[in-house]
Structures are given as C-alpha cells and as structure tokens.
Amino acid sequence: MVHYRRQRVPGGTYFFTVTLADRSATTLVDHADELRAAIRTVRQRHPFSILAIVILPDHLHAVLRLPEGDDRYSMRWRMIKREFTVRLRARGIRIDGRSGGERRLWARRFWESTIRDAESLSRRIDYVHLNPVRHGLVARAADWPHSSFHAFVARGDLPIDWQEDPSQATIPTGEPRSPGRAQRNPGAR
C-alpha cells in the first residue's frame, strides 16, 4: 500500500474533498441538516473557519482555514464523520459495517491540498460553488441550496446571477483555467 504524506501547514488554508463509501448514495443532501450540525459541534470543540463549502449527494468540497499554529485537519474530519454517523444512527438510519465493527458510511480517506496564494484560493472557491453545476444537479450555482454560494451573495461578494461556463472552471488539481473567468467584487476577500 502506498503511504500518502499529507502537507501540514499550521494555520493553513486547505481545499478538501470528502466522500461517502457508496458514491451512488444521496445521504449527505438527504441529511444535510445533520451534517451541518455535526460540523458545528466539531467547530465548537476545535475551531476552524469555513471559507467555502458545498454539500453534494455523495461528497462535499470545503475550503477551511485552521487557527494559527494548528495543523490538525485530519482529526477534525475524523470527528465530523463520526459525529454525522452517530447522529444518523440515533435517528434510526441503518449504516452497514465493515469487518472489525468499523462503519462504512464514509470513504476511509479524504483528499486535501494546501492553498498557497489568493489566486489559488479564488479558484478553489469558484470550484466549490460551481460543483453542483458541473455534476449536472442544477443549471446555476444559485439553484443549489447546500452551498456557501448563498452566503457570498448575502455579503455582496458575488451577484446572485454569477455564472461561468462550468467547462472553464478549475479542477481540484489547480490546473489553470482559460480566459473568461468570472469577475468578483474587487473588495471581496
């Protein structure tokens, strides 16, 4: 098995993709309120800032910033996954197990990348907000209810009709996008 080494930057900003074990499931949107509650519970115990997030049926993307001197994002995701699973089981939702008693709601791993500059941060936030469009779930970012896009609109950082061609959006590996990028308010972030 390949040993994956994670980048650790205390107080860093990271882009995450966290998936369910069953990629055909709709559990995250079916129980989005429970997922939000799980995230709030963990944030109270182990603070972090959510710069952008989108919850899709079988995965989520998030841009998080950790407190100064703290690089323990793996612990936070482990706790969020566990808290969400416990909340679902408390509501009587059956979650099959793996050998050894481990629950199999979530994929074992998650993907992260360190955000190093303002341009990378902007591209990742755009990616988060456009992801439901890219997956064909809605025609416009504004049409997806489980997204921080709505908070950006409420703050005046993005217009409600913000849109760009999803084929032009940056993929999570940070490949550059072609010209025609959506314009943000100059004072945003």
Side-chain angles (χ1 to χ4, degrees):
M1 181 165 113
V2 175
H3 180 68
Y4 180 74
R5 294 185 59 150
R6 296 196 183 275
Q7 175 87 29
R8 303 280 182 188
V9 178
T13 302
Y14 301 90
F15 170 83
F16 296 97
T17 301
V18 184
T19 66
L20 294 177
D22 178 359
R23 293 303 302 265
S24 67
T26 60
T27 309
L28 297 182
V29 292
D30 293 346
H31 304 285
D33 289 339
E34 293 297 334
L35 179 57
R36 287 185 193 100
I39 292 169
R40 273 193 307 275
T41 297
V42 173
R43 279 180 74 187
Q44 288 170 351
R45 288 185 250 158
H46 301 282
F48 58 92
S49 299
I50 300 173
L51 304 183
I53 190 167
V54 66
I55 302 168
L56 299 156
D58 65 339
H59 68 287
L60 65 86
H61 296 290
V63 178
L64 307 182
R65 180 170 292 143
L66 298 183
E68 191 69 34
D70 190 339
D71 67 357
R72 297 174 304 156
Y73 56 78
S74 292
M75 173 268 299
R76 286 171 171 86
W77 282 117
R78 184 174 51 254
M79 291 178 74
I80 290 167
K81 289 176 172 184
R82 183 177 335 148
E83 180 72 20
F84 181 63
T85 302
V86 166
R87 287 172 175 275
L88 292 187
R89 293 186 73 216
R91 294 186 71 190
I93 297 167
R94 184 170 175 249
I95 298 170
D96 294 332
R98 290 184 178 131
S99 61
E102 179 184 9
R103 297 290 163 206
R104 64 177 249 187
L105 176 62
W106 294 97
R108 286 186 174 161
R109 303 201 191 296
F110 60 85
W111 294 265
E112 101 287 336
S113 62
T114 305
I115 296 176
R116 301 181 189 285
D117 57 38
E119 179 63 22
S120 176
L121 176 62
S122 181
R123 283 194 322 262
R124 297 304 170 105
I125 290 172
D126 287 353
Y127 180 85
V128 166
H129 292 154
L130 278 170
N131 210 255
V133 177
R134 291 177 60 108
H135 283 281
L137 298 169
V138 291
R140 302 176 320 133
D143 297 335
W144 189 251
H146 310 293
S147 173
S148 59
F149 175 80
H150 304 287
F152 278 67
V153 171
R155 286 192 313 260
D157 292 341
L158 291 173
I160 190 70
D161 61 350
W162 174 80
Q163 189 69 58
E164 66 179 310
D165 178 354
S167 68
Q168 301 300 309
T170 303
I171 60 171
T173 58
E175 293 178 9
R177 89 174 42 164
S178 61
R181 199 162 173 224
Q183 295 297 311
R184 306 196 121 67
N185 289 348
R189 283 177 303 291

